[in-house]
Amino acid sequence: MLKLNAGLSRKVGEPDYGSRGASVNLELEVESNLVNDSDGLMDRIRRLFTLARQAVDEELGRAGPSSAPRSGGNGNGQRPVTTSQLGAIRAIAERLGVDPERVTRDVVGTGLDALTLRQASQLIDELKRRAGEPAGRSNGDRR
Amino acid sequence: MTAAARSVPPVRSLSRTGRDYLSYTQVTTFQRCPLKWHFEYVAQRPHERVGAALAFGSAIHTALELHFRALLAGCTAPSGQELLCGYDQAWQADAAPPVRYGKGESARSLQAMASRVLAAFTGSPQALPGGEILGVEEELRRPILPGLPDLLARLDLIVRTDSALVIRDFKTARSRWTEANVTEAAPQLLLYGDLARPLAEELGDLAIRLEFVVLTKTRSPSVAVHPVGLDPHQLGRIRRIMTQVWHAMQTGHIYPNPSPMNCATCPFPQACRTWRG
């Protein structure tokens, strides 16, 4: 008998510089002849990690508002930043020569990992203002 | 997310579809030809060829993505030449398998077409999102149907206006869309709207507006907006269809569905011909 052991840990940011984490370790006994079937073995390992990932996601999703999966949503009123907003924050921060994590904490009082959709909008406006670009609800205006 | 909408365990989904989620494309692929679906998602065969229309549409999407990402990041809108560079790079990446061109088409003629299409786009009001961009090629994923894997979609553009959350999907087409085209494509946007509902709720229960933006591949390309009404009956229907298709996928009854429309653009012609059943 062959034993597979898959472990996964994840930490998410919380308001006021806090964080919360979850980890899971799964052990599974599989047929020993799988050692001769590398594709089959890899498939079982992938499945084990998928299960571990789902368990961690569920745990973090259940425990608090800031743990919703990015863009996935859990309907709890604290929608996380979209990946597009996050990319924009990083891009503008880079242009300004500032650390995105630090400027996020300075402006909205929380880390990038815990940003909500509204906070991200507010931060993007502020960063654009600092960059001397028009901010506000019309970020599509052509220049 | 509704309390009832628990997705199926990912392992089951993985073993059936090769992925731990379901996409609208996956469902419509199965509807059109279960064997193509099998090759694509279960066997994960490399494509033997790629249709020029598909590679073109994909490369245009990359150029539009470049445009909107620049706007979101507060940059000046890229020039037509910069957008065309984005198109070229995506074309090179997508056209790795042999490209199957239509009559009179070539990589060069399609690049010239791309230049015209992108010029029409940048000169149209659709180049201005008319609100705050929240997502560009944004991946949304959540369980929306009980007993089914999560639905995953990549939304071309999500814009917040004062009164609505606008979900915009860009299409390239040989000619202007008719009402029948919009009706046929509407289920995709209805599902995307459903997927984006939590975003609208977060933003104070904004109304959701769904729009197709169709760019025509014609001598003088046009850019037209086609709104899609939020029809709950239609949404219910597509949700039921997705459930049925998911159950059909699980039965493992795979068969080819040959037709001039399906086969002309199929990336697996050789594999299909040699498939023993």
Side-chain angles (χ1 to χ4, degrees):
Chain A
M1 201 57 82
L2 193 65
K3 277 188 181 175
L4 301 181
N5 190 308
L8 191 75
S9 297
R10 186 173 300 155
K11 200 179 245 189
V12 293
E14 289 279 279
D16 301 324
Y17 303 92
S19 69
R20 202 157 38 77
S23 66
V24 65
N25 281 283
L26 301 174
E27 193 170 271
L28 179 73
E29 289 188 348
V30 295
E31 327 62 283
S32 53
N33 58 7
L34 267 177
V35 289
N36 300 317
D37 174 12
S38 56
D39 287 346
L41 185 59
M42 281 307 295
D43 186 50
R44 301 293 274 277
I45 294 170
R46 273 189 217 106
R47 292 177 187 201
L48 210 52
F49 271 110
T50 303
L51 277 177
R53 198 171 299 118
Q54 188 192 32
V56 168
D57 285 347
E58 277 190 13
E59 188 55 36
L60 292 174
R62 191 167 39 232
S66 63
S67 55
R70 290 227 174 275
S71 303
N74 60 4
N76 61 12
Q78 289 288 308
R79 182 80 13 214
V81 57
T82 66
T83 52
S84 306
Q85 287 177 308
L86 209 52
I89 289 165
R90 292 201 167 107
I92 308 170
E94 191 179 328
R95 282 209 307 279
L96 290 169
V98 297
D99 175 45
E101 182 67 35
R102 177 169 292 186
V103 78
T104 302
R105 290 196 181 281
D106 287 348
V107 175
V108 292
T110 189
L112 277 171
D113 272 354
L115 270 182
T116 66
L117 201 66
R118 288 170 187 270
Q119 287 171 331
S121 291
Q122 179 196 343
L123 177 59
I124 289 172
D125 278 355
E126 172 60 19
L127 291 176
K128 284 181 178 175
R129 193 188 60 74
R130 292 186 189 185
E133 293 153 355
R137 304 288 301 277
S138 57
N139 60 10
D141 284 353
R142 195 163 11 198
R143 280 174 284 282
Chain B
M1 174 170 78
T2 61
R6 296 283 300 174
S7 59
V8 300
V11 169
R12 208 167 114 211
S13 173
L14 271 170
S15 67
R16 297 288 188 273
T17 68
R19 301 178 186 209
D20 65 350
Y21 58 82
L22 207 54
S23 68
Y24 180 72
T25 308
Q26 198 184 132
V27 168
T28 53
T29 301
F30 187 93
Q31 284 180 285
R32 285 180 190 136
C33 179
L35 184 57
K36 181 185 173 188
W37 170 82
H38 175 79
F39 286 150
E40 180 80 53
Y41 296 98
V42 182
Q44 298 183 34
R45 292 184 70 95
H47 289 186
E48 297 164 25
R49 64 184 188 188
V50 61
L54 187 67
F56 180 86
S58 173
I60 290 288
H61 264 80
T62 301
L64 301 186
E65 179 184 349
L66 201 66
H67 172 84
F68 289 116
R69 280 201 194 284
L71 296 182
L72 174 58
C75 299
T76 310
S79 67
Q81 195 54 44
E82 287 169 322
L83 292 184
L84 197 58
C85 281
Y87 165 90
D88 284 337
Q89 282 173 6
W91 175 270
Q92 295 298 332
D94 287 341
V99 178
R100 185 183 166 90
Y101 291 103
K103 198 177 172 187
E105 279 180 349
S106 65
R108 179 171 286 201
S109 73
L110 288 175
Q111 193 202 39
M113 173 69 72
S115 178
R116 294 199 299 275
V117 167
L118 291 172
F121 166 74
T122 52
S124 76
Q126 296 316 310
L128 306 173
E132 178 191 3
I133 297 175
L134 295 181
V136 183
E137 290 288 327
E138 185 72 29
E139 214 170 70
L140 296 185
R141 172 181 178 152
R142 70 184 181 99
I144 63 163
L145 285 163
L148 262 69
D150 289 357
L151 178 68
L152 181 138
R154 194 178 286 268
L155 277 59
D156 290 349
L157 188 64
I158 308 172
V159 173
R160 170 199 189 181
T161 70
D162 287 336
S163 59
L165 185 73
V166 186
I167 310 296
R168 215 164 273 161
D169 193 75
F170 292 87
K171 302 282 188 196
T172 52
R174 283 182 173 278
S175 57
R176 287 172 187 270
W177 268 22
T178 63
E179 204 48 49
N181 293 125
V182 179
T183 303
E184 190 187 341
Q188 179 190 7
L189 264 186
L190 285 168
L191 276 174
Y192 288 6
D194 200 27
L195 206 50
R197 192 167 300 282
L199 287 179
E201 287 168 2
E202 164 69 8
L203 296 168
D205 243 341
L206 278 180
I208 293 178
R209 215 167 73 209
L210 307 173
E211 295 176 352
F212 283 116
V213 179
V214 180
L215 296 87
T216 60
K217 299 180 284 182
T218 47
R219 196 171 291 275
S220 300
S222 63
V223 181
V225 181
H226 298 276
V228 170
L230 285 165
D231 179 345
H233 297 294
Q234 185 68 5
L235 178 61
R237 181 172 182 272
I238 182 62
R239 288 164 69 112
R240 284 191 294 276
I241 289 172
M242 287 194 66
T243 305
Q244 296 291 347
V245 171
W246 167 247
H247 290 319
M249 285 172 178
Q250 291 183 90
T251 64
H253 295 308
I254 302 303
Y255 54 89
N257 182 23
S259 76
M261 200 172 168
N262 284 342
C263 300
T265 56
C266 180
F268 309 110
Q270 186 65 29
C272 181
R273 275 194 291 275
T274 55
W275 186 69
R276 287 167 167 268

